[in-house]
Amino acid sequence: MRRKILAGNWKMHGLTVDLQEINEISKFSKSCETEIILFPPITLVSKISSSITESSLKLGAQNCHFNQAGAHTGEISAKMLTDIGLTHVILGHSERRTAHLETNEILREKIKAAWENDLTTIVCVGESAETAKNGLTDVFIQDQLTKTLPNHIKINRLIIAYEPIWAIGTGEVPSLKQIKKTHDLIRNLIKNNYGSLAANSIRIIYGGSLNQDNSKDIFSLPNVDGGLVGGASLTHTSFIPIISLLEMQPN
Ligand code: PGA
Protein backbone atom coordinates (compact mmCIF):
# COMPACT_ATOMS: atom_id res chain seq x y z
CA MET A 1 0.00 0.00 0.00
CA ARG A 2 1.36 3.41 -0.96
CA ARG A 3 0.38 6.38 1.16
CA LYS A 4 -1.07 9.24 -0.91
CA ILE A 5 0.90 12.48 -1.10
CA LEU A 6 -0.05 16.04 -1.84
CA ALA A 7 2.82 18.48 -2.22
CA GLY A 8 2.53 22.25 -2.54
CA ASN A 9 5.32 24.05 -4.37
CA TRP A 10 5.21 27.75 -3.52
CA LYS A 11 8.06 28.61 -5.92
CA MET A 12 9.13 32.27 -5.44
CA HIS A 13 5.93 33.25 -3.65
CA GLY A 14 5.18 33.92 0.00
CA LEU A 15 5.83 36.71 2.48
CA THR A 16 5.42 36.81 6.25
CA VAL A 17 1.76 37.67 5.84
CA ASP A 18 1.22 34.35 4.05
CA LEU A 19 2.22 32.32 7.10
CA GLN A 20 -1.46 32.27 8.00
CA GLU A 21 -2.09 30.14 4.91
CA ILE A 22 0.46 27.61 6.15
CA ASN A 23 -1.24 27.69 9.55
CA GLU A 24 -4.61 26.83 8.04
CA ILE A 25 -3.16 24.07 5.86
CA SER A 26 -1.35 22.67 8.90
CA LYS A 27 -4.54 22.64 10.98
CA PHE A 28 -6.38 20.77 8.24
CA SER A 29 -3.55 18.29 7.70
CA LYS A 30 -3.90 17.00 11.27
CA SER A 31 -7.01 15.04 10.38
CA CYS A 32 -5.65 13.67 7.08
CA GLU A 33 -4.40 10.26 6.04
CA THR A 34 -2.66 11.87 3.08
CA GLU A 35 0.97 12.91 3.51
CA ILE A 36 1.01 16.67 3.01
CA ILE A 37 4.24 18.48 2.25
CA LEU A 38 4.70 22.19 1.65
CA PHE A 39 7.67 23.74 -0.12
CA PRO A 40 7.61 27.41 0.88
CA PRO A 41 10.47 29.76 -0.02
CA ILE A 42 13.41 29.16 2.31
CA THR A 43 12.95 32.69 3.74
CA LEU A 44 9.73 31.62 5.49
CA VAL A 45 10.99 28.41 7.02
CA SER A 46 12.48 29.90 10.20
CA LYS A 47 9.24 31.82 10.78
CA ILE A 48 7.08 28.72 10.69
CA SER A 49 6.18 27.93 14.27
CA SER A 50 7.32 24.73 15.89
CA SER A 51 3.68 23.80 16.50
CA ILE A 52 3.39 23.41 12.74
CA THR A 53 6.64 21.58 12.22
CA GLU A 54 5.64 19.19 14.98
CA SER A 55 2.23 18.60 13.35
CA SER A 56 1.62 16.23 10.48
CA LEU A 57 2.49 18.86 7.86
CA LYS A 58 5.95 18.29 6.46
CA LEU A 59 8.20 20.98 5.02
CA GLY A 60 10.73 20.88 2.24
CA ALA A 61 12.97 23.01 0.03
CA GLN A 62 12.73 23.61 -3.70
CA ASN A 63 16.40 22.92 -4.46
CA CYS A 64 19.74 22.03 -2.90
CA HIS A 65 23.40 22.02 -3.91
CA PHE A 66 25.26 18.74 -4.43
CA ASN A 67 28.18 19.72 -2.19
CA GLN A 68 27.91 19.73 1.59
CA ALA A 69 29.58 23.14 1.97
CA GLY A 70 32.06 25.35 0.16
CA ALA A 71 32.58 28.41 -2.01
CA HIS A 72 29.18 28.38 -3.75
CA THR A 73 27.74 31.86 -3.41
CA GLY A 74 23.96 31.87 -3.18
CA GLU A 75 23.61 28.11 -2.76
CA ILE A 76 22.20 25.98 0.07
CA SER A 77 23.34 22.42 0.76
CA ALA A 78 21.22 19.38 1.61
CA LYS A 79 23.00 19.24 4.94
CA MET A 80 21.83 22.80 5.72
CA LEU A 81 18.25 21.85 4.88
CA THR A 82 18.33 18.92 7.28
CA ASP A 83 19.96 21.21 9.85
CA ILE A 84 16.91 23.52 9.88
CA GLY A 85 14.50 20.61 10.17
CA LEU A 86 13.35 20.16 6.57
CA THR A 87 12.57 16.63 5.48
CA HIS A 88 12.02 16.91 1.72
CA VAL A 89 13.49 18.55 -1.37
CA ILE A 90 12.19 18.98 -4.93
CA LEU A 91 14.84 18.20 -7.54
CA GLY A 92 14.64 18.45 -11.30
CA HIS A 93 11.70 20.82 -11.55
CA SER A 94 11.50 21.96 -15.17
CA GLU A 95 11.89 25.59 -14.11
CA ARG A 96 15.29 24.71 -12.66
CA ARG A 97 16.25 22.41 -15.51
CA THR A 98 15.45 25.18 -18.00
CA ALA A 99 16.30 28.47 -16.30
CA HIS A 100 19.20 27.19 -14.20
CA LEU A 101 20.58 24.72 -16.73
CA GLU A 102 20.38 21.76 -14.36
CA THR A 103 21.31 18.67 -16.35
CA ASN A 104 20.37 15.07 -15.57
CA GLU A 105 23.98 14.53 -14.42
CA ILE A 106 23.92 17.49 -12.00
CA LEU A 107 20.55 16.33 -10.69
CA ARG A 108 21.85 12.84 -10.04
CA GLU A 109 24.55 14.34 -7.79
CA LYS A 110 21.95 16.50 -6.02
CA ILE A 111 19.74 13.46 -5.40
CA LYS A 112 22.68 11.56 -3.90
CA ALA A 113 23.55 14.54 -1.66
CA ALA A 114 19.93 14.78 -0.52
CA TRP A 115 19.80 11.06 0.34
CA GLU A 116 23.12 11.24 2.19
CA ASN A 117 21.47 13.87 4.37
CA ASP A 118 18.26 11.90 4.90
CA LEU A 119 16.09 14.12 2.74
CA THR A 120 13.25 12.61 0.74
CA THR A 121 13.39 13.78 -2.87
CA ILE A 122 10.56 14.60 -5.23
CA VAL A 123 12.28 14.06 -8.56
CA CYS A 124 10.46 15.76 -11.45
CA VAL A 125 10.36 14.67 -15.06
CA GLY A 126 8.32 16.04 -17.92
CA GLU A 127 8.31 16.67 -21.64
CA SER A 128 7.97 19.92 -23.58
CA ALA A 129 4.98 20.79 -25.75
CA GLU A 130 7.02 20.04 -28.85
CA THR A 131 8.06 16.61 -27.62
CA ALA A 132 4.43 15.83 -26.80
CA LYS A 133 3.26 17.10 -30.19
CA ASN A 134 5.79 14.87 -31.95
CA GLY A 135 4.56 11.81 -30.05
CA LEU A 136 7.89 11.38 -28.29
CA THR A 137 6.74 11.68 -24.67
CA ASP A 138 7.44 8.02 -23.78
CA VAL A 139 10.94 8.01 -25.23
CA PHE A 140 11.77 11.33 -23.62
CA ILE A 141 10.50 10.42 -20.13
CA GLN A 142 12.27 7.09 -20.23
CA ASP A 143 15.56 8.73 -21.17
CA GLN A 144 15.24 11.64 -18.72
CA LEU A 145 14.31 9.46 -15.76
CA THR A 146 16.96 6.82 -16.46
CA LYS A 147 19.66 9.49 -16.70
CA THR A 148 18.46 11.47 -13.67
CA LEU A 149 18.17 8.62 -11.15
CA PRO A 150 21.32 7.19 -9.55
CA ASN A 151 22.19 3.54 -10.16
CA HIS A 152 21.36 2.71 -6.58
CA ILE A 153 18.20 4.25 -5.27
CA LYS A 154 16.81 4.75 -1.78
CA ILE A 155 13.31 3.42 -2.24
CA ASN A 156 11.86 5.09 0.83
CA ARG A 157 13.44 8.44 -0.03
CA LEU A 158 12.22 8.71 -3.63
CA ILE A 159 9.00 10.18 -4.98
CA ILE A 160 8.66 10.78 -8.72
CA ALA A 161 6.57 13.64 -10.13
CA TYR A 162 5.40 13.58 -13.72
CA GLU A 163 5.03 17.21 -14.74
CA PRO A 164 4.59 17.94 -18.45
CA ILE A 165 6.25 21.34 -18.96
CA TRP A 166 3.38 22.55 -21.10
CA ALA A 167 0.90 21.87 -18.31
CA ILE A 168 2.71 23.89 -15.64
CA GLY A 169 0.92 27.13 -14.84
CA THR A 170 -1.01 27.06 -18.11
CA GLY A 171 -4.38 25.66 -17.10
CA GLU A 172 -3.87 22.83 -19.60
CA VAL A 173 -3.66 19.21 -18.50
CA PRO A 174 -2.95 16.04 -20.49
CA SER A 175 -5.83 13.65 -21.11
CA LEU A 176 -6.44 11.05 -18.41
CA LYS A 177 -5.32 8.45 -20.92
CA GLN A 178 -2.00 10.24 -21.42
CA ILE A 179 -1.41 10.66 -17.68
CA LYS A 180 -2.17 6.98 -17.10
CA LYS A 181 0.12 5.95 -19.94
CA THR A 182 3.07 7.98 -18.61
CA HIS A 183 2.57 6.89 -14.99
CA ASP A 184 2.37 3.24 -16.11
CA LEU A 185 5.53 3.74 -18.13
CA ILE A 186 7.37 5.23 -15.13
CA ARG A 187 6.30 2.38 -12.86
CA ASN A 188 7.41 -0.19 -15.44
CA LEU A 189 10.73 1.55 -15.85
CA ILE A 190 11.28 1.46 -12.08
CA LYS A 191 10.41 -2.24 -12.10
CA ASN A 192 12.81 -3.04 -14.91
CA ASN A 193 15.67 -0.97 -13.51
CA TYR A 194 15.25 -1.44 -9.76
CA GLY A 195 12.91 -4.39 -9.19
CA SER A 196 9.38 -5.10 -7.99
CA LEU A 197 9.79 -3.86 -4.44
CA ALA A 198 10.87 -0.44 -5.72
CA ALA A 199 8.09 -0.38 -8.31
CA ASN A 200 5.42 -1.24 -5.74
CA SER A 201 6.71 1.19 -3.12
CA ILE A 202 7.68 4.38 -4.93
CA ARG A 203 4.99 7.03 -5.13
CA ILE A 204 4.42 8.59 -8.56
CA ILE A 205 2.54 11.88 -8.46
CA TYR A 206 1.16 14.15 -11.15
CA GLY A 207 1.82 17.90 -11.41
CA GLY A 208 0.76 20.65 -13.80
CA SER A 209 -2.31 22.92 -13.42
CA LEU A 210 -3.93 20.72 -10.78
CA ASN A 211 -6.99 22.35 -9.26
CA GLN A 212 -10.16 21.34 -7.48
CA ASP A 213 -12.01 20.82 -10.78
CA ASN A 214 -9.58 18.48 -12.51
CA SER A 215 -7.84 16.62 -9.68
CA LYS A 216 -10.58 14.13 -8.74
CA ASP A 217 -10.38 12.29 -12.08
CA ILE A 218 -6.59 12.43 -12.15
CA PHE A 219 -6.30 11.10 -8.58
CA SER A 220 -8.59 8.20 -9.43
CA LEU A 221 -6.08 6.78 -11.95
CA PRO A 222 -4.49 3.60 -10.57
CA ASN A 223 -0.84 4.62 -10.82
CA VAL A 224 -1.32 8.18 -9.59
CA ASP A 225 -0.37 8.40 -5.91
CA GLY A 226 -1.08 12.09 -5.46
CA GLY A 227 -0.10 15.47 -6.80
CA LEU A 228 2.41 18.28 -6.93
CA VAL A 229 0.51 21.57 -6.90
CA GLY A 230 1.91 24.99 -7.73
CA GLY A 231 -0.47 27.94 -8.01
CA ALA A 232 -3.38 26.29 -6.23
CA SER A 233 -1.25 25.53 -3.16
CA LEU A 234 -0.70 29.20 -2.33
CA THR A 235 -3.93 29.64 -0.37
CA HIS A 236 -5.65 27.25 1.96
CA THR A 237 -8.95 27.91 0.21
CA SER A 238 -7.63 26.50 -3.07
CA PHE A 239 -5.33 23.81 -1.59
CA ILE A 240 -7.57 22.18 1.01
CA PRO A 241 -10.27 21.15 -1.51
CA ILE A 242 -7.58 19.33 -3.51
CA ILE A 243 -6.37 17.57 -0.35
CA SER A 244 -9.98 16.54 0.34
CA LEU A 245 -10.36 15.04 -3.12
CA LEU A 246 -7.23 12.97 -2.61
CA GLU A 247 -8.43 11.90 0.83
CA MET A 248 -11.55 10.45 -0.81
CA GLN A 249 -9.50 8.08 -2.96
CA PRO A 250 -9.09 4.54 -1.68
CA ASN A 251 -5.45 3.61 -1.01
P1 PGA B 1 1.08 24.59 -11.30
O1 PGA B 1 2.60 24.24 -10.98
O2 PGA B 1 0.22 23.76 -10.40
O3 PGA B 1 0.97 26.07 -10.99
O4 PGA B 1 0.85 24.30 -12.74
C1 PGA B 1 2.99 22.92 -10.74
C2 PGA B 1 4.47 22.85 -10.52
O5 PGA B 1 5.22 23.58 -11.15
O6 PGA B 1 4.94 22.02 -9.70
Side-chain angles (χ1 to χ4, degrees), residues 9 11 90 93-95 124 163 167-171 207-210 228-233:
N9 175 12
K11 309 189 181 184
I90 297 174
H93 191 284
S94 60
E95 286 154 17
C124 304
E163 294 207 309
I168 295 176
T170 59
S209 293
L210 275 176
L228 176 54
V229 185
S233 71

Side-chain angles (χ1 to χ4, degrees), residues 47-80:
K47 296 186 178 200
I48 295 174
S49 77
S50 54
S51 66
I52 289 182
T53 46
E54 282 155 20
S55 81
S56 48
L57 180 69
K58 293 178 181 151
L59 294 173
Q62 300 167 18
N63 178 36
C64 71
H65 197 270
F66 48 80
N67 281 336
Q68 300 247 357
H72 304 289
T73 302
E75 295 288 343
I76 297 177
S77 72
K79 194 174 182 161
M80 291 168 173

Side-chain angles (χ1 to χ4, degrees), residues 6-238:
L6 199 67
N9 175 12
W10 276 27
K11 309 189 181 184
M12 199 171 70
H13 296 285
L15 299 173
T16 310
V17 64
D18 301 304
L19 288 169
Q20 62 192 31
E21 299 298 336
I22 299 181
N23 252 320
E24 293 300 324
I25 294 166
S26 165
K27 270 192 246 162
F28 187 80
S29 73
K30 286 186 185 135
S31 60
C32 294
E33 290 287 318
T34 301
E35 188 174 349
I36 302 164
I37 316 157
L38 269 191
F39 297 83
I42 212 77
T43 47
L44 285 188
V45 169
S46 65
K47 296 186 178 200
I48 295 174
S49 77
S50 54
S51 66
I52 289 182
T53 46
E54 282 155 20
S55 81
S56 48
L57 180 69
K58 293 178 181 151
L59 294 173
Q62 300 167 18
N63 178 36
C64 71
H65 197 270
F66 48 80
N67 281 336
Q68 300 247 357
H72 304 289
T73 302
E75 295 288 343
I76 297 177
S77 72
K79 194 174 182 161
M80 291 168 173
L81 300 179
T82 312
D83 188 49
I84 58 167
L86 299 184
T87 52
H88 288 67
V89 63
I90 297 174
L91 291 172
H93 191 284
S94 60
E95 286 154 17
R96 294 216 50 98
R97 286 182 186 265
T98 310
H100 298 269
L101 309 179
E102 291 188 355
T103 61
N104 295 325
E105 292 69 30
I106 289 173
L107 288 166
R108 201 178 321 128
E109 295 310 306
K110 289 188 175 205
I111 295 168
K112 285 192 223 160
W115 288 345
E116 275 160 25
N117 289 284
D118 295 328
L119 292 170
T120 299
T121 53
I122 296 186
V123 175
C124 304
V125 289
E127 81 287 358
S128 66
E130 201 189 345
T131 301
K133 201 176 85 202
N134 292 333
L136 295 172
T137 297
D138 288 9
V139 181
F140 179 85
I141 296 292
Q142 203 147 349
D143 182 68
Q144 191 178 46
L145 191 57
T146 306
K147 288 181 177 156
T148 301
L149 291 181
N151 292 338
H152 299 286
I153 58 167
K154 283 205 175 178
I155 294 176
N156 57 353
R157 294 256 182 255
L158 175 62
I159 297 158
I160 296 170
Y162 169 53
E163 294 207 309
I165 300 172
W166 53 274
I168 295 176
T170 59
E172 282 182 62
V173 286
S175 66
L176 294 175
K177 199 173 153 207
Q178 181 60 57
I179 296 174
K180 181 182 182 304
K181 189 165 176 249
T182 308
H183 280 240
D184 289 352
L185 173 104
I186 293 172
R187 204 168 296 288
N188 271 332
L189 184 141
I190 296 293
K191 189 175 178 191
N192 292 340
N193 291 2
Y194 302 103
S196 297
L197 179 64
N200 292 333
S201 312
I202 289 170
R203 272 94 45 99
I204 306 173
I205 61 180
Y206 169 81
S209 293
L210 275 176
N211 59 39
Q212 53 183 300
D213 297 324
N214 61 23
S215 44
K216 185 171 176 236
D217 290 343
I218 295 173
F219 292 158
S220 68
L221 295 170
N223 265 329
V224 174
D225 301 311
L228 176 54
V229 185
S233 71
L234 292 174
T235 64
H236 74 280
T237 47
S238 50

